Amino acid sequence: MRVLLIEDEVHLREQIARQLKDNNLTVDAVADGEEGLYMATEYPYDVAIIDLGLPKLSGIEVIQQLREQGFDYPVLILTARGRWQDKVEGLESGADDYLVKPFELDELVVRIQALSRRRSGQVQLLRCGDLEMNLDTRVASRGGQTLKLSPTSWRLLEALLRASPAV
Ligand code: CA
């Protein structure tokens, strides 16, 4: 999955980029709205993460122009201000989701993956040999037989399958 990140705060941009890469996502990170819009229209992204307060072109303007030009991939906005007006304006301009700073990097990754999944309509299936986990229906099975798992076992098995084939 290829992600575009437009965020002008250096530290946060680097943190997010590292977190996404650690989760095996391909990331292009830029620092202002103008370059962001250029990248956003030039390359095929699956998801974009756009800060609202950006130099040169605001996040809202970037999203509006993207949508006007017919780019419909999911956009998650970041807002420092936490004012509900910002979120509403962002969502009205065509964003699909938002996070208010400060946020957990893990949550950002989960939201990004969910946005991409919703778009592709893919069923999330983890598999190893005859062991299968369907993350949408939350049914696990082995050799076609449904497994009964406690929530903790479910999380453990999911973590192991995600890490597979690593030990
Ligand atoms: Ca900013």
Side-chain angles (χ1 to χ4, degrees):
M1 190 191 340
R2 187 163 180 179
V3 181
L4 174 65
L5 169 63
I6 316 176
E7 166 61 68
D8 58 320
E9 288 169 47
V10 180
H11 185 62
L12 183 60
R13 184 172 68 245
E14 286 173 355
Q15 267 188 329
I16 294 175
R18 198 176 319 123
Q19 181 79 6
L20 296 177
K21 282 174 192 159
D22 286 349
N23 283 274
N24 298 318
L25 306 177
T26 306
V27 189
D28 292 325
V30 298
D32 69 68
E34 239 170 56
E35 195 184 351
L37 182 61
Y38 169 76
M39 296 290 286
T41 54
E42 204 66 16
Y43 298 98
Y45 291 105
D46 299 295
V47 180
I49 303 168
I50 303 179
D51 181 33
L52 286 190
L54 289 171
K56 295 188 184 173
L57 211 56
S58 79
I60 299 281
E61 289 169 308
V62 173
I63 299 166
Q64 280 170 345
Q65 294 204 27
L66 261 185
R67 296 309 190 219
E68 272 170 30
Q69 293 179 42
F71 293 91
D72 64 349
Y73 51 79
V75 170
L76 181 145
I77 50 174
L78 304 177
T79 163
R81 291 162 282 188
R83 295 193 310 136
W84 64 268
Q85 290 96 326
D86 291 339
K87 297 172 210 159
V88 171
E89 202 187 347
L91 295 172
E92 277 177 354
S93 71
D96 301 272
D97 199 1
Y98 67 87
L99 273 177
V100 177
K101 299 176 189 176
F103 50 83
E104 294 291 329
L105 290 172
D106 283 337
E107 184 175 5
L108 176 64
V109 172
V110 170
R111 300 272 195 104
I112 289 299
Q113 286 168 339
L115 279 177
S116 154
R117 246 192 340 269
R118 225 182 291 160
R119 174 182 163 82
S120 61
Q122 275 172 4
V123 176
Q124 272 278 88
L125 202 61
L126 298 176
R127 196 179 276 143
C128 178
D130 61 352
L131 187 60
E132 256 187 30
M133 279 183 106
N134 183 319
L135 301 181
D136 290 330
T137 59
R138 292 193 73 76
V139 172
S141 62
R142 173 150 212 181
Q145 292 226 309
T146 304
L147 301 174
K148 277 197 165 170
L149 296 175
S150 69
T152 307
S153 311
W154 178 276
R155 283 199 299 275
L156 273 173
L157 188 61
E158 182 180 342
L160 290 169
L161 279 179
R162 280 191 192 282
S164 169
V167 181

Short mmCIF file of all heavy atoms in Angstrom, two decimals, residues 1-21 25-40 43 45 47-51 54 78 108:
data_model
loop_
_atom_site.label_atom_id
_atom_site.label_comp_id
_atom_site.label_asym_id
_atom_site.label_seq_id
_atom_site.Cartn_x
_atom_site.Cartn_y
_atom_site.Cartn_z
N MET A 1 0.83 -1.19 0.00
CA MET A 1 0.00 0.00 0.00
C MET A 1 0.87 1.25 0.00
O MET A 1 1.86 1.32 0.70
CB MET A 1 -0.90 0.01 1.24
CG MET A 1 -1.93 1.09 1.15
SD MET A 1 -2.86 1.46 2.65
CE MET A 1 -2.72 0.08 3.69
N ARG A 2 0.51 2.24 -0.82
CA ARG A 2 1.32 3.45 -0.93
C ARG A 2 0.58 4.64 -0.30
O ARG A 2 -0.56 4.93 -0.65
CB ARG A 2 1.60 3.72 -2.40
CG ARG A 2 2.58 4.85 -2.61
CD ARG A 2 3.13 4.81 -4.02
NE ARG A 2 4.08 5.92 -4.22
CZ ARG A 2 4.72 6.12 -5.35
NH1 ARG A 2 4.54 5.33 -6.37
NH2 ARG A 2 5.56 7.14 -5.46
N VAL A 3 1.27 5.30 0.61
CA VAL A 3 0.64 6.37 1.39
C VAL A 3 1.36 7.70 1.14
O VAL A 3 2.58 7.76 1.13
CB VAL A 3 0.72 6.05 2.91
CG1 VAL A 3 0.05 7.15 3.72
CG2 VAL A 3 0.09 4.70 3.21
N LEU A 4 0.57 8.76 0.95
CA LEU A 4 1.13 10.10 0.85
C LEU A 4 0.91 10.81 2.19
O LEU A 4 -0.20 10.81 2.71
CB LEU A 4 0.45 10.90 -0.27
CG LEU A 4 0.88 12.38 -0.35
CD1 LEU A 4 2.35 12.50 -0.71
CD2 LEU A 4 0.02 13.13 -1.35
N LEU A 5 1.97 11.38 2.71
CA LEU A 5 1.89 12.10 3.99
C LEU A 5 2.28 13.56 3.76
O LEU A 5 3.37 13.85 3.27
CB LEU A 5 2.84 11.45 5.00
CG LEU A 5 3.10 12.21 6.30
CD1 LEU A 5 1.82 12.38 7.11
CD2 LEU A 5 4.17 11.49 7.13
N ILE A 6 1.35 14.48 4.08
CA ILE A 6 1.66 15.91 3.97
C ILE A 6 1.56 16.51 5.37
O ILE A 6 0.47 16.63 5.93
CB ILE A 6 0.68 16.65 3.02
CG1 ILE A 6 0.43 15.85 1.74
CG2 ILE A 6 1.22 18.04 2.69
CD1 ILE A 6 -0.59 16.48 0.81
N GLU A 7 2.71 16.82 5.93
CA GLU A 7 2.78 17.33 7.32
C GLU A 7 4.00 18.23 7.42
O GLU A 7 5.10 17.82 7.06
CB GLU A 7 2.86 16.13 8.28
CG GLU A 7 3.26 16.46 9.70
CD GLU A 7 2.27 17.39 10.39
OE1 GLU A 7 1.14 16.97 10.65
OE2 GLU A 7 2.65 18.56 10.66
N ASP A 8 3.81 19.46 7.91
CA ASP A 8 4.93 20.40 7.93
C ASP A 8 5.78 20.32 9.19
O ASP A 8 6.90 20.82 9.20
CB ASP A 8 4.44 21.85 7.72
CG ASP A 8 3.42 22.26 8.76
OD1 ASP A 8 2.56 21.43 9.10
OD2 ASP A 8 3.48 23.41 9.23
N GLU A 9 5.27 19.70 10.26
CA GLU A 9 6.09 19.58 11.47
C GLU A 9 7.09 18.44 11.27
O GLU A 9 6.70 17.27 11.20
CB GLU A 9 5.22 19.29 12.69
CG GLU A 9 4.40 20.49 13.14
CD GLU A 9 3.35 20.08 14.16
OE1 GLU A 9 3.69 19.36 15.12
OE2 GLU A 9 2.19 20.47 13.98
N VAL A 10 8.37 18.81 11.21
CA VAL A 10 9.41 17.84 10.86
C VAL A 10 9.38 16.60 11.75
O VAL A 10 9.37 15.47 11.26
CB VAL A 10 10.81 18.50 10.99
CG1 VAL A 10 11.89 17.50 10.61
CG2 VAL A 10 10.89 19.73 10.12
N HIS A 11 9.34 16.85 13.04
CA HIS A 11 9.44 15.74 13.99
C HIS A 11 8.26 14.77 13.81
O HIS A 11 8.45 13.56 13.71
CB HIS A 11 9.46 16.30 15.42
CG HIS A 11 9.69 15.25 16.46
ND1 HIS A 11 10.84 14.50 16.51
CD2 HIS A 11 8.90 14.83 17.47
CE1 HIS A 11 10.75 13.66 17.53
NE2 HIS A 11 9.58 13.83 18.12
N LEU A 12 7.07 15.34 13.73
CA LEU A 12 5.88 14.50 13.58
C LEU A 12 5.91 13.77 12.24
O LEU A 12 5.57 12.58 12.15
CB LEU A 12 4.62 15.36 13.71
CG LEU A 12 3.29 14.62 13.64
CD1 LEU A 12 3.18 13.59 14.77
CD2 LEU A 12 2.12 15.59 13.71
N ARG A 13 6.34 14.49 11.19
CA ARG A 13 6.39 13.87 9.87
C ARG A 13 7.31 12.66 9.87
O ARG A 13 6.97 11.60 9.36
CB ARG A 13 6.86 14.90 8.83
CG ARG A 13 6.86 14.35 7.41
CD ARG A 13 7.15 15.42 6.37
NE ARG A 13 8.52 15.90 6.46
CZ ARG A 13 8.87 17.14 6.79
NH1 ARG A 13 7.95 18.04 7.03
NH2 ARG A 13 10.14 17.49 6.85
N GLU A 14 8.46 12.82 10.51
CA GLU A 14 9.41 11.70 10.54
C GLU A 14 8.90 10.54 11.38
O GLU A 14 9.06 9.38 11.03
CB GLU A 14 10.77 12.20 11.06
CG GLU A 14 11.48 13.03 10.00
CD GLU A 14 12.76 13.69 10.50
OE1 GLU A 14 13.04 13.58 11.72
OE2 GLU A 14 13.45 14.31 9.68
N GLN A 15 8.27 10.89 12.49
CA GLN A 15 7.70 9.85 13.36
C GLN A 15 6.64 9.03 12.62
O GLN A 15 6.64 7.80 12.67
CB GLN A 15 7.01 10.50 14.56
CG GLN A 15 7.87 10.65 15.78
CD GLN A 15 7.03 11.11 16.96
OE1 GLN A 15 6.04 11.82 16.78
NE2 GLN A 15 7.40 10.70 18.15
N ILE A 16 5.74 9.73 11.96
CA ILE A 16 4.65 9.05 11.24
C ILE A 16 5.23 8.19 10.12
O ILE A 16 4.86 7.03 9.95
CB ILE A 16 3.64 10.06 10.65
CG1 ILE A 16 2.90 10.79 11.78
CG2 ILE A 16 2.64 9.35 9.75
CD1 ILE A 16 1.98 11.89 11.29
N ALA A 17 6.16 8.78 9.36
CA ALA A 17 6.74 8.06 8.22
C ALA A 17 7.41 6.76 8.71
O ALA A 17 7.25 5.70 8.10
CB ALA A 17 7.75 8.93 7.49
N ARG A 18 8.14 6.87 9.82
CA ARG A 18 8.82 5.68 10.35
C ARG A 18 7.81 4.62 10.77
O ARG A 18 7.96 3.44 10.47
CB ARG A 18 9.70 6.08 11.53
CG ARG A 18 10.77 5.05 11.86
CD ARG A 18 11.69 5.51 12.98
NE ARG A 18 12.04 6.92 12.88
CZ ARG A 18 11.82 7.83 13.85
NH1 ARG A 18 11.25 7.46 14.97
NH2 ARG A 18 12.17 9.08 13.70
N GLN A 19 6.76 5.08 11.45
CA GLN A 19 5.73 4.14 11.92
C GLN A 19 5.06 3.41 10.75
O GLN A 19 4.83 2.21 10.80
CB GLN A 19 4.68 4.91 12.72
CG GLN A 19 3.57 4.04 13.30
CD GLN A 19 4.02 3.31 14.55
OE1 GLN A 19 5.12 3.55 15.05
NE2 GLN A 19 3.19 2.42 15.05
N LEU A 20 4.78 4.15 9.69
CA LEU A 20 4.12 3.54 8.53
C LEU A 20 5.05 2.54 7.86
O LEU A 20 4.63 1.45 7.47
CB LEU A 20 3.68 4.61 7.53
CG LEU A 20 2.61 5.60 8.03
CD1 LEU A 20 2.32 6.65 6.97
CD2 LEU A 20 1.32 4.89 8.41
N LYS A 21 6.32 2.93 7.75
CA LYS A 21 7.29 2.02 7.12
C LYS A 21 7.46 0.75 7.95
O LYS A 21 7.58 -0.35 7.42
CB LYS A 21 8.64 2.72 6.94
CG LYS A 21 8.65 3.66 5.76
CD LYS A 21 9.93 4.47 5.66
CE LYS A 21 9.75 5.60 4.64
NZ LYS A 21 10.73 6.69 4.84
N LEU A 25 4.30 -0.19 4.97
CA LEU A 25 3.62 0.67 4.01
C LEU A 25 4.68 1.52 3.30
O LEU A 25 5.70 1.88 3.90
CB LEU A 25 2.62 1.59 4.71
CG LEU A 25 1.59 0.87 5.60
CD1 LEU A 25 0.69 1.87 6.30
CD2 LEU A 25 0.75 -0.07 4.75
N THR A 26 4.44 1.82 2.05
CA THR A 26 5.34 2.69 1.30
C THR A 26 4.89 4.13 1.53
O THR A 26 3.72 4.45 1.36
CB THR A 26 5.28 2.36 -0.20
OG1 THR A 26 5.55 0.96 -0.34
CG2 THR A 26 6.31 3.15 -0.97
N VAL A 27 5.81 5.00 1.93
CA VAL A 27 5.43 6.36 2.30
C VAL A 27 6.21 7.41 1.52
O VAL A 27 7.43 7.32 1.39
CB VAL A 27 5.72 6.62 3.80
CG1 VAL A 27 5.11 7.96 4.22
CG2 VAL A 27 5.19 5.50 4.65
N ASP A 28 5.49 8.40 0.97
CA ASP A 28 6.12 9.59 0.45
C ASP A 28 5.72 10.72 1.39
O ASP A 28 4.52 10.95 1.59
CB ASP A 28 5.63 9.90 -0.97
CG ASP A 28 6.12 8.85 -1.96
OD1 ASP A 28 7.24 8.35 -1.78
OD2 ASP A 28 5.37 8.54 -2.90
N ALA A 29 6.70 11.41 1.96
CA ALA A 29 6.39 12.46 2.93
C ALA A 29 6.84 13.81 2.41
O ALA A 29 8.00 13.97 2.00
CB ALA A 29 7.07 12.15 4.26
N VAL A 30 5.93 14.79 2.40
CA VAL A 30 6.28 16.14 1.97
C VAL A 30 5.80 17.14 3.01
O VAL A 30 4.98 16.83 3.87
CB VAL A 30 5.68 16.48 0.59
CG1 VAL A 30 6.22 15.54 -0.48
CG2 VAL A 30 4.16 16.42 0.64
N ALA A 31 6.33 18.39 2.92
CA ALA A 31 6.17 19.34 4.01
C ALA A 31 5.23 20.52 3.73
O ALA A 31 4.92 21.28 4.62
CB ALA A 31 7.53 19.88 4.43
N ASP A 32 4.78 20.67 2.48
CA ASP A 32 3.84 21.77 2.25
C ASP A 32 2.73 21.38 1.28
O ASP A 32 2.80 20.36 0.59
CB ASP A 32 4.57 23.04 1.77
CG ASP A 32 5.14 22.88 0.37
OD1 ASP A 32 4.34 22.78 -0.59
OD2 ASP A 32 6.37 22.83 0.23
N GLY A 33 1.69 22.21 1.27
CA GLY A 33 0.48 21.90 0.50
C GLY A 33 0.70 21.85 -1.00
O GLY A 33 0.11 21.04 -1.70
N GLU A 34 1.57 22.74 -1.48
CA GLU A 34 1.80 22.80 -2.92
C GLU A 34 2.46 21.52 -3.44
O GLU A 34 2.00 20.91 -4.40
CB GLU A 34 2.72 23.99 -3.23
CG GLU A 34 2.10 24.99 -4.18
CD GLU A 34 2.96 26.24 -4.25
OE1 GLU A 34 4.17 26.13 -4.57
OE2 GLU A 34 2.42 27.31 -3.94
N GLU A 35 3.54 21.14 -2.75
CA GLU A 35 4.23 19.92 -3.16
C GLU A 35 3.32 18.72 -2.94
O GLU A 35 3.31 17.78 -3.73
CB GLU A 35 5.54 19.76 -2.36
CG GLU A 35 6.46 18.74 -2.99
CD GLU A 35 7.73 18.48 -2.17
OE1 GLU A 35 7.96 19.22 -1.20
OE2 GLU A 35 8.46 17.53 -2.50
N GLY A 36 2.55 18.78 -1.85
CA GLY A 36 1.62 17.70 -1.54
C GLY A 36 0.61 17.49 -2.65
O GLY A 36 0.37 16.36 -3.08
N LEU A 37 0.04 18.59 -3.13
CA LEU A 37 -0.96 18.48 -4.19
C LEU A 37 -0.33 17.94 -5.46
O LEU A 37 -0.92 17.11 -6.16
CB LEU A 37 -1.60 19.85 -4.46
CG LEU A 37 -2.71 19.85 -5.52
CD1 LEU A 37 -3.87 18.96 -5.10
CD2 LEU A 37 -3.20 21.26 -5.79
N TYR A 38 0.89 18.39 -5.74
CA TYR A 38 1.60 17.89 -6.92
C TYR A 38 1.78 16.37 -6.83
O TYR A 38 1.43 15.63 -7.75
CB TYR A 38 2.97 18.58 -7.06
CG TYR A 38 3.84 17.93 -8.10
CD1 TYR A 38 3.62 18.13 -9.46
CD2 TYR A 38 4.87 17.06 -7.71
CE1 TYR A 38 4.41 17.51 -10.40
CE2 TYR A 38 5.67 16.43 -8.66
CZ TYR A 38 5.43 16.66 -10.00
OH TYR A 38 6.20 16.02 -10.94
N MET A 39 2.30 15.92 -5.67
CA MET A 39 2.52 14.48 -5.47
C MET A 39 1.20 13.73 -5.57
O MET A 39 1.10 12.67 -6.18
CB MET A 39 3.14 14.22 -4.09
CG MET A 39 4.51 14.80 -3.88
SD MET A 39 5.79 13.97 -4.83
CE MET A 39 5.96 12.45 -3.90
N ALA A 40 0.18 14.30 -4.94
CA ALA A 40 -1.12 13.63 -4.83
C ALA A 40 -1.76 13.39 -6.19
O ALA A 40 -2.52 12.45 -6.38
CB ALA A 40 -2.05 14.45 -3.95
N TYR A 43 1.09 10.75 -8.53
CA TYR A 43 1.39 9.35 -8.23
C TYR A 43 0.15 8.62 -7.72
O TYR A 43 -0.74 9.23 -7.15
CB TYR A 43 2.52 9.28 -7.19
CG TYR A 43 3.81 9.89 -7.69
CD1 TYR A 43 4.15 11.18 -7.35
CD2 TYR A 43 4.65 9.16 -8.53
CE1 TYR A 43 5.33 11.76 -7.83
CE2 TYR A 43 5.82 9.73 -9.01
CZ TYR A 43 6.15 11.02 -8.66
OH TYR A 43 7.31 11.58 -9.14
N TYR A 45 -1.73 6.86 -5.25
CA TYR A 45 -1.75 6.54 -3.82
C TYR A 45 -3.00 5.77 -3.45
O TYR A 45 -4.02 5.86 -4.12
CB TYR A 45 -1.67 7.83 -2.99
CG TYR A 45 -0.32 8.49 -3.11
CD1 TYR A 45 -0.16 9.63 -3.88
CD2 TYR A 45 0.79 7.94 -2.48
CE1 TYR A 45 1.09 10.21 -4.03
CE2 TYR A 45 2.04 8.51 -2.62
CZ TYR A 45 2.18 9.65 -3.40
OH TYR A 45 3.42 10.21 -3.55
N VAL A 47 -3.92 5.86 -0.05
CA VAL A 47 -4.45 6.69 1.04
C VAL A 47 -3.55 7.92 1.17
O VAL A 47 -2.35 7.84 0.93
CB VAL A 47 -4.43 5.94 2.39
CG1 VAL A 47 -4.97 6.81 3.51
CG2 VAL A 47 -5.22 4.65 2.32
N ALA A 48 -4.15 9.06 1.58
CA ALA A 48 -3.34 10.24 1.89
C ALA A 48 -3.63 10.70 3.31
O ALA A 48 -4.77 10.65 3.76
CB ALA A 48 -3.63 11.37 0.90
N ILE A 49 -2.56 11.12 4.01
CA ILE A 49 -2.69 11.69 5.34
C ILE A 49 -2.32 13.16 5.20
O ILE A 49 -1.20 13.48 4.78
CB ILE A 49 -1.73 11.02 6.34
CG1 ILE A 49 -1.98 9.52 6.39
CG2 ILE A 49 -1.86 11.65 7.72
CD1 ILE A 49 -0.88 8.75 7.12
N ILE A 50 -3.27 14.05 5.48
CA ILE A 50 -3.04 15.46 5.21
C ILE A 50 -3.29 16.31 6.46
O ILE A 50 -4.39 16.30 7.01
CB ILE A 50 -3.94 15.94 4.04
CG1 ILE A 50 -3.68 15.09 2.79
CG2 ILE A 50 -3.70 17.43 3.76
CD1 ILE A 50 -4.53 15.47 1.58
N ASP A 51 -2.26 17.03 6.88
CA ASP A 51 -2.39 17.98 7.97
C ASP A 51 -3.20 19.17 7.47
O ASP A 51 -3.08 19.56 6.31
CB ASP A 51 -0.98 18.42 8.42
CG ASP A 51 -1.03 19.39 9.57
OD1 ASP A 51 -1.95 19.28 10.41
OD2 ASP A 51 -0.13 20.25 9.65
N LEU A 54 -1.09 23.86 6.82
CA LEU A 54 0.10 23.64 5.99
C LEU A 54 0.54 24.95 5.36
O LEU A 54 -0.29 25.79 5.04
CB LEU A 54 -0.19 22.64 4.87
CG LEU A 54 -0.39 21.18 5.22
CD1 LEU A 54 -0.89 20.43 3.98
CD2 LEU A 54 0.89 20.55 5.73
N LEU A 78 -5.30 15.47 9.64
CA LEU A 78 -4.75 15.67 10.97
C LEU A 78 -5.04 17.11 11.37
O LEU A 78 -4.79 18.03 10.59
CB LEU A 78 -3.23 15.46 10.97
CG LEU A 78 -2.73 14.12 10.45
CD1 LEU A 78 -1.20 14.11 10.43
CD2 LEU A 78 -3.27 12.98 11.31
N LEU A 108 -3.21 5.66 14.16
CA LEU A 108 -3.13 6.17 12.80
C LEU A 108 -3.00 5.01 11.80
O LEU A 108 -3.69 4.97 10.79
CB LEU A 108 -1.95 7.13 12.65
CG LEU A 108 -1.69 7.68 11.25
CD1 LEU A 108 -2.86 8.53 10.78
CD2 LEU A 108 -0.41 8.48 11.21
#
